[in-house]
Amino acid sequence: MTDLNRRIEAMHRRDVLVAWAFVIGLWFSVIFVAIATWDLAPNGTARTLLLIAGAVVLLFNTAAILAMLRHYREDRDFMYGIDIKFLDEAKGRRN
């Protein structure tokens, strides 16, 4: 494995971890808000609507991030290769 491939793999792995951390944080925060505001809803119908809306937000955001990760995996050599090229150029200008 070349140095470029190792750097691409490391950047990709870090981005995947950050994306999953965001998904987990989103799920925890929506669940926390649902629990914390449960008594503020005026009736059962409002609670049901809020739960459905929260579930839709979670599902669509999770699906969007999974699609983004799939795209990153497909084009990672191109995308991260460009990033590494510009990072190396910027580093060369500073030195």
Side-chain angles (χ1 to χ4, degrees):
M1 184 180 276
T2 66
D3 182 54
L4 178 62
N5 287 337
R6 269 194 299 277
R7 291 173 69 189
I8 288 172
E9 180 62 32
M11 289 178 80
H12 180 256
R13 193 175 327 114
R14 185 182 60 234
D15 285 351
V16 168
L17 287 173
V18 169
W20 277 112
F22 176 77
V23 168
I24 292 167
L26 178 67
W27 277 77
F28 278 127
S29 63
V30 169
I31 290 169
F32 171 78
V33 168
I35 292 169
T37 61
W38 188 256
D39 293 332
L40 298 176
N43 55 40
T45 304
R47 287 183 182 130
T48 302
L49 288 174
L50 290 171
L51 286 176
I52 291 170
V56 168
V57 167
L58 288 174
L59 290 175
F60 279 132
N61 276 288
T62 302
I65 291 173
L66 289 175
M68 178 192 70
L69 290 176
R70 193 175 319 111
H71 177 68
Y72 275 18
R73 187 174 46 248
E74 292 168 356
D75 293 335
R76 80 175 191 181
D77 291 339
F78 173 72
M79 291 187 307
Y80 293 113
I82 290 173
D83 285 347
I84 289 171
K85 175 185 170 192
F86 288 126
L87 287 171
D88 289 347
E89 286 178 8
K91 186 177 180 182
R93 276 190 229 123
R94 276 186 270 140
N95 292 335

